[in-house]
Amino acid sequence: MNRRVFFSVCGNACIAAGLASRAAAAPSAAGFPEKPIRLIVPTNPGGSIDTVARIVGAELSNQFRQPVIIENRTGASGMIAASAVAQSTPDGYTLLVTHTGVLQADLLHKNSSYRLSDLAPVAEIANTPVVFGVGMQVPVTNLESFVALAKKQPDQLSYGSYGKGTSAHIWAEQFSQRAGIKLIHVPYGGEIPALQDLLAGRITSAWGAVGTYRQYADAHKIRILAVANPVRSKVLPDIPTFIEAGYPEMNASGWCGVFAPAGTPKAIIGKLSQAILNVVHREDIAQRILVTGQEPTGSDAEVFAQRVAQDRQTWAKAISDLHITLD
C-alpha cells in the first residue's frame, strides 16, 4: 500500500470513527427516558404552577415508567429556575415548568444568566388568567368603584405583585395609566406572600392566579374585581374581564408551559410534547387542572413556540410603552 492510499484509508477511518462516536454520544429518542426526569418549577410548593407540574409529572411517570421529580427553585422572578434548565445538558432529562414570567425576565434583565433563546418550547399545558382582587376592608364592589376610590385617595392605595417587572406589575401599571390613578407598588418574591399580606390587610389590592384567589373569594376573605384575560374565566364566570370593564388593552393572558434546554434533539422534544399532550387531553386530568384555575390547552411544541414568540412581542411593547425598568 502506497503512502497516499494509506493516509486516505486512515483519514476515512478516523472520520467514520468520529461520526460513530458522536452518534453514540447523542441522546436517542428510541429508548428515552432511561432515567428519572426532573421538572424544575420557579414557584413555591402549593402554588397553581407547582400543582399543575405535580399533576402532569405524576402522569408522565406512569407513562414513561420512570420517576419524575419536582424541584422548586424560587427567586429572582423565576430566573434561578430558568437558568438551571438553560444551563443543563440538552438531553430531555431536565425540564422547566413555568409561566409567562420567563418572558419578562428575559426582556428586562440585560445581564440575565439566561436568554429566552437558551430554552426550547416543548408544550403548553394551560392558559392562566390572572385576577385583580382587594381586601374585604376596602369599600368597593367593582372596578369602577375602585377607580373612584383611588382618585379620591391618590398614592394611598397599594397593590401587591409577585415581583418587579412581572406580568402582575405590568398589568397593574397598564390599568393605573389607563384609569388615571396612582397606586403604591409593593413587589413580593412570589404570589403567595402578596396574597398573605392582602388577607392580613397590609396592602389594599393584589394580583394573582385565578385558582389561588378563588378559594379566598369563595370564603369571603377577598373580593375579585376583574380578570386579565380576553374572555371570562371558566371557573369565575361571574367576574368581568378588564376588557368588559373598559380596558381593552389588557387582553393578554398568561400560560403554563414546559421548556427544555436549547439544543435538545427534536425527536426527544417531540416525544416529550406528545406525552404531555396525552396527559393534558385526558378529561380527568383536564378537570383537575381546571380546578386550579388554569384552563387546559395542550398545545404541541410548534404551536407553543408561536405563542411564546407572539407574547414576547406583546410584553416587549407594554414594557416599552410603560417605561418599566429594573434600575
Side-chain angles (χ1 to χ4, degrees):
M1 181 182 295
N2 61 40
R3 292 185 63 183
R4 181 178 296 177
V5 174
F6 174 78
F7 283 117
S8 176
V9 171
C10 286
N12 291 337
C14 289
I15 292 171
L19 292 174
S21 177
R22 287 185 183 182
S28 170
F32 179 87
E34 299 176 330
K35 62 181 181 179
I37 295 173
R38 293 187 302 154
L39 299 184
I40 310 297
V41 181
T43 62
N44 293 314
S48 56
I49 299 294
D50 173 78
T51 301
V52 168
R54 293 178 188 276
I55 292 172
V56 172
E59 295 302 322
L60 287 179
S61 180
N62 292 336
Q63 195 173 151
F64 286 141
R65 297 187 179 181
Q66 288 287 350
V68 176
I69 303 163
I70 308 296
E71 291 187 17
N72 299 88
R73 297 198 185 184
T74 61
S77 299
M79 289 193 298
I80 292 175
S83 296
V85 174
Q87 297 168 13
S88 66
T89 304
D91 55 9
Y93 289 100
T94 303
L95 305 172
L96 176 69
V97 181
T98 192
H99 46 65
T100 322
V102 74
L103 301 181
Q104 287 99 18
D106 176 60
L107 289 164
L108 285 163
H109 291 269
K110 295 180 181 178
N111 298 315
S112 173
S113 53
Y114 79 96
R115 298 263 67 100
L116 189 60
S117 56
D118 297 328
L119 298 168
V122 174
E124 179 184 301
I125 297 174
N127 195 55
T128 58
V130 171
V131 299
F132 176 61
V134 299
M136 295 302 291
Q137 80 281 5
V138 184
V140 301
T141 56
N142 53 38
L143 213 55
E144 183 180 5
S145 57
F146 179 86
V147 170
L149 180 65
K151 287 183 176 179
K152 290 180 181 178
Q153 302 178 18
D155 291 317
Q156 293 186 44
L157 305 185
S158 58
Y159 75 88
S161 76
Y162 29 89
K164 191 174 182 181
T166 61
S167 54
H169 179 201
I170 298 169
W171 271 312
E173 291 303 310
Q174 280 185 321
F175 168 51
S176 298
Q177 184 185 73
R178 175 69 173 76
I181 59 178
K182 294 183 178 180
L183 305 175
I184 301 170
H185 180 205
V186 184
Y188 291 84
E191 175 189 37
I192 302 303
L195 173 61
Q196 291 171 337
D197 271 8
L198 179 65
L199 292 168
R202 287 188 281 269
I203 55 176
T204 308
S205 61
W207 299 71
V210 167
T212 307
Y213 275 52
R214 184 186 63 168
Q215 57 185 309
Y216 296 99
D218 289 345
H220 304 289
K221 294 182 178 180
I222 61 173
R223 184 177 292 113
I224 298 174
L225 301 185
V227 181
N229 199 50
V231 297
R232 292 195 180 197
S233 166
K234 293 180 180 179
V235 296
L236 291 173
D238 296 330
I239 304 298
T241 67
F242 275 91
I243 300 172
E244 292 175 300
Y247 301 89
E249 64 280 359
M250 299 186 64
N251 59 6
S253 60
W255 38 254
C256 172
V258 181
F259 292 82
T264 301
K266 289 185 178 181
I268 288 180
I269 287 180
K271 192 168 187 177
L272 284 166
S273 181
Q274 187 58 55
I276 293 167
L277 266 56
N278 289 343
V279 171
V280 177
H281 289 165
R282 275 175 45 190
E283 184 62 28
D284 59 327
I285 300 300
Q287 286 301 315
R288 290 175 62 191
I289 293 173
L290 193 60
V291 168
T292 71
Q294 303 187 67
E295 301 171 356
T297 51
S299 300
D300 64 20
E302 183 178 354
V303 174
F304 184 37
Q306 291 172 355
R307 181 172 185 181
V308 169
Q310 181 178 351
D311 284 0
R312 190 180 189 280
Q313 292 181 349
T314 299
W315 290 113
K317 184 178 186 305
I319 289 168
S320 176
D321 290 348
L322 295 166
H323 307 291
I324 294 176
T325 66
L326 297 181
D327 296 336

